[in-house]
Amino acid sequence: QLQLQESGPGLVKPSETLSLTCTVSGGSVSSLSYFWGWIRQPPGKGLEWIGSVYSSGATYYSPSLKSRVTISVDTSKKEFSLKLSSVTAADTAVYYCARDNTNGWSTFYFDYWGQGTLVTVSS
Amino acid sequence: NVMLTQPHSVSESPGKTVTISCTRSSGNIANSFVQWYQQRPGSSPTPVIFENNQRPSGVPDRFSGSIDRSSNSASLTISELRTEDEADYYCQSYDGSDRVFGGGTKLTVL
């Protein structure tokens, strides 16, 4: 059974860079036709896609966050990472990592999710 | 940018049927598959429908999905409602390579 686990600091200061890692077990980040994505959810609000990465390193980012986001993958460590720069209080959210399944290159949907990690931006 | 609009909340009684809509702001709803996720309080989202009307393994057939080209919208229908279905539901689709979520609908089963 595929499992994903987020890790990283729970508190980040304004203007600094948020860094999270997602470790994948029970499967491979090198598997064909799967991306690996980050989604966030501010407290009491809805889901927002941040971006996704393929095993080759190819990335897609949300247009609204593109200027501040970097997502990378390390196939040898079976993990992928998120960096979000110049954070503000508006970036406070639960951050989820998830497998972004193309189902044979016909769609994009998130079929396995991590438990999520709360990141608070505060001084 | 494409937006997916959902009603903020819906409510229905146990045993009844409820439908949640998801309207695409631009572009043809039929050109990009729609997915639906259930999120219970304190839990991660889980998919209940993918590719408009496909159920992942383990999801009961009380959950069904459809699209309506005339209204450019997708719908999630849950029949024989149970109290355990009370949750937030999100639609998701894509615009090219950009994944997009709807704002979510809170389903109350009372």
Side-chain angles (χ1 to χ4, degrees):
Chain A
Q1 176 78 343
L2 188 72
Q3 293 186 320
L4 296 90
Q5 179 68 57
E6 305 90 351
S7 60
L11 181 65
V12 181
K13 290 182 168 56
S15 79
E16 296 190 344
T17 296
L18 177 160
S19 296
L20 295 173
T21 296
C22 182
T23 302
V24 177
S25 58
S28 172
V29 297
S30 300
S31 299
L32 298 180
S33 78
Y34 298 121
F35 285 79
W36 303 90
W38 289 96
I39 301 102
R40 70 180 183 179
Q41 184 172 38
K45 296 188 177 181
L47 302 170
E48 178 183 23
W49 173 68
I50 299 170
S52 297
V53 63
Y54 194 62
S55 56
S56 64
T59 52
Y60 295 115
Y61 298 137
S62 165
S64 64
L65 296 169
K66 186 173 184 177
S67 63
R68 298 194 292 130
V69 173
T70 302
I71 298 176
S72 59
V73 62
D74 187 331
T75 55
S76 65
K77 293 183 178 180
K78 301 181 70 173
E79 63 184 35
F80 59 104
S81 301
L82 167 69
K83 293 187 184 300
L84 181 65
S85 64
S86 305
V87 297
T88 69
D91 296 308
T92 293
V94 173
Y95 285 76
Y96 295 99
C97 61
R99 190 173 77 171
D100 188 355
N101 189 349
T102 71
N103 197 33
W105 302 103
S106 65
T107 189
F108 297 115
Y109 86 103
F110 302 98
D111 58 351
Y112 288 91
W113 294 63
Q115 67 183 26
T117 186
L118 175 62
V119 179
T120 301
V121 178
S122 175
S123 55
Chain B
N1 293 345
V2 167
M3 293 177 56
L4 300 174
T5 300
Q6 301 180 232
H8 181 69
S9 63
V10 296
S11 62
E12 190 50 272
S13 303
K16 300 292 190 179
T17 297
V18 70
T19 297
I20 299 171
S21 63
C22 171
T23 302
R24 184 175 175 119
S25 62
S26 62
N28 193 330
I29 191 77
N31 290 348
S32 302
F33 283 121
V34 176
Q35 282 67 232
W36 291 90
Y37 302 86
Q38 177 191 69
Q39 185 180 33
R40 294 191 174 104
S43 296
S44 304
T46 59
V48 292
I49 293 290
F50 69 98
E51 291 187 351
N52 295 342
N53 55 19
Q54 301 300 301
R55 283 186 305 277
S57 175
V59 175
D61 60 7
R62 300 185 298 108
F63 290 80
S64 62
S66 64
I67 63 168
D68 181 355
R69 290 171 174 79
S70 66
S71 59
N72 213 40
S73 65
S75 293
L76 171 69
T77 299
I78 310 172
S79 61
E80 302 173 17
L81 274 170
R82 303 179 178 181
T83 55
E84 68 208 48
D85 297 330
E86 187 162 291
D88 294 326
Y89 291 85
Y90 294 89
C91 61
Q92 176 256 314
S93 188
Y94 43 95
D95 178 23
S97 57
D98 294 340
R99 291 60 156 168
V100 182
F101 285 96
T105 299
K106 181 176 180 58
L107 169 62
T108 301
V109 181
L110 39 64

